[in-house]
Every structure is written in structure tokens, then in C-alpha cells.
Amino acid sequence: EDNPYAASMEGICKLCEQLDIDALEDVRVLVLLWKLGANKKPAEIQKEEWMAGCHKLKLDSVDKFKKLLPSLDTGFMDREEFGDFYKFCFQFNRAGTHKTLEKDLVVALLRMVLTGGRITSGRLDTFCEFLESTKDTSYSKITLDQWRSFLDFSYEYPDAKALEGYDEGMSAWPVLIDEYVEFMEKSVKKAK
């Protein structure tokens, strides 16, 4: 249904075409929507959010949007700001009132949002591999808690060496993270 007071993904994609960026591959799209304040409903930006965001960012032309693009790199964010943006990425990509994201979408989003040094590429690649290969149907949908926990886990345990001190019995991580660690341990044993 057409809503004259909101831009859906179709409208967002049209903006991206004007800005010469790929709406499905370029993380700057999500950064822009986050900075504009697209928070009321998933997968769209309300007219009042758009107007307030454009006013705050002093955007009134496609040219000004294009000039803003370089500053939308996630590398410019500190850890706290990135954490807020990371949460937004999950919330924005939900479908309607659903509280979870499909596993395939999570993998695509993780690769889009975390590529570029925020966490080690090994941690990102192996977690995505774990999600893609798991047959456990309880992980066909990922919760916000699991989404956020992966980022926190990646900061605390950035590489295989750091995992040597991981104690599942003493951890407060979601079961998804414990099972990912088991997956990693099995992978290391296979490699030896």
C-alpha cells in the first residue's frame, strides 16, 4: 500500500540510484537512514523523520547528499556510536512487527555492516559459515539479543587465541554463541 507520509524500500532504492550507490550492498545506505532518524517503522523512513534528518544534516539537494557520502563510512564511528548503528541495522531490517531476522538476511547484513575491520575477518567469516551450515532450526531466525551478543563477543574474543580462555560454563552468552565456539573448536581440531 502506498503511504504518502513514508518512503519504503522502493523510495530508498530510488534515492540510492540518484546517489550512485547500491542499496543492497553499500553500508552507507544504512548509515544515512540511521543518521536521518528512520526509527518509527522497519524498512521505511517517515516523512517527519526525513524532514527532521535533512534539516539536521543540512541536506536539501542530491548534490549535498552526494557530498555527505564519504562521511558515512562506519570507520568514522567510535565503538559506542557503532553499537547504536549496529542495533539500528537489525531493527530497520525487521519485517513488520517481527522481532527476529531470517538467518540468510543476518548473514548478508553482518557481511555488509562488519566488513572493513570493525571485527577480525576471521571472526566474521567463521560466524557466517556457522550460521550458514547449522541445521539447528532454532537458528533459522536470529533475535536482537543474539545479534548484539555476536558483536560484543567479537570484541571480547577477537581471534582463535583469545578463545582459548573461553569457558562455556562461566559464560553469560546466548546458547548461539556457545554453539559457535563449539563449531570453532571442531574446526580447529579438523585443521590439525
Side-chain angles (χ1 to χ4, degrees), residues 150-166:
F150 173 66
L151 181 62
D152 294 337
F153 175 82
S154 298
Y155 288 150
E156 192 167 330
Y157 297 95
D159 53 34
K161 180 99 175 115
L163 272 180
E164 291 173 8
Y166 185 82

Side-chain angles (χ1 to χ4, degrees), residues 9 12-13 16 21-33 72-75 77 82 85-86 88-90 92-93 101 103-119 121 124-125 127-128 132 147 150-151:
M9 286 309 296
I12 293 165
C13 287
C16 291
I21 59 175
D22 185 336
L24 301 177
E25 301 279 329
D26 197 323
V27 71
R28 295 176 299 174
V29 175
L30 289 169
V31 177
L32 176 62
L33 290 165
L72 300 178
D73 186 312
T74 58
M77 297 178 192
F82 184 81
F85 166 69
Y86 185 75
F88 165 82
C89 291
F90 183 94
F92 185 79
N93 282 283
L101 294 180
K103 175 175 68 171
D104 294 342
L105 176 57
V106 166
V107 169
L109 276 173
L110 287 172
R111 292 190 190 284
M112 178 188 220
V113 173
L114 293 175
T115 296
R118 184 61 60 172
I119 66 170
S121 61
L124 175 61
D125 292 342
F127 188 70
C128 290
E132 291 169 331
W147 170 262
F150 173 66
L151 181 62

Side-chain angles (χ1 to χ4, degrees), residues 26-123:
D26 197 323
V27 71
R28 295 176 299 174
V29 175
L30 289 169
V31 177
L32 176 62
L33 290 165
W34 175 62
K35 288 189 178 260
L36 287 170
N39 292 311
K40 286 197 176 150
K41 285 189 170 177
E44 67 180 40
I45 183 165
Q46 301 290 309
K47 184 177 182 178
E48 65 268 12
E49 292 171 328
W50 173 266
M51 299 300 287
C54 285
H55 178 75
K56 180 179 87 175
L57 297 172
K58 298 177 177 33
L59 301 170
D60 59 11
S61 68
V62 171
D63 190 49
K64 287 185 180 176
F65 273 93
K66 284 183 176 183
K67 287 180 180 164
L68 180 71
L69 287 177
S71 71
L72 300 178
D73 186 312
T74 58
F76 293 121
M77 297 178 192
D78 65 27
R79 188 180 274 197
E80 184 179 339
E81 186 179 26
F82 184 81
D84 292 342
F85 166 69
Y86 185 75
K87 179 182 177 185
F88 165 82
C89 291
F90 183 94
Q91 302 284 37
F92 185 79
N93 282 283
R94 292 179 301 126
T97 59
H98 293 207
K99 303 271 186 221
T100 59
L101 294 180
E102 296 290 329
K103 175 175 68 171
D104 294 342
L105 176 57
V106 166
V107 169
L109 276 173
L110 287 172
R111 292 190 190 284
M112 178 188 220
V113 173
L114 293 175
T115 296
R118 184 61 60 172
I119 66 170
T120 63
S121 61
R123 177 68 62 236

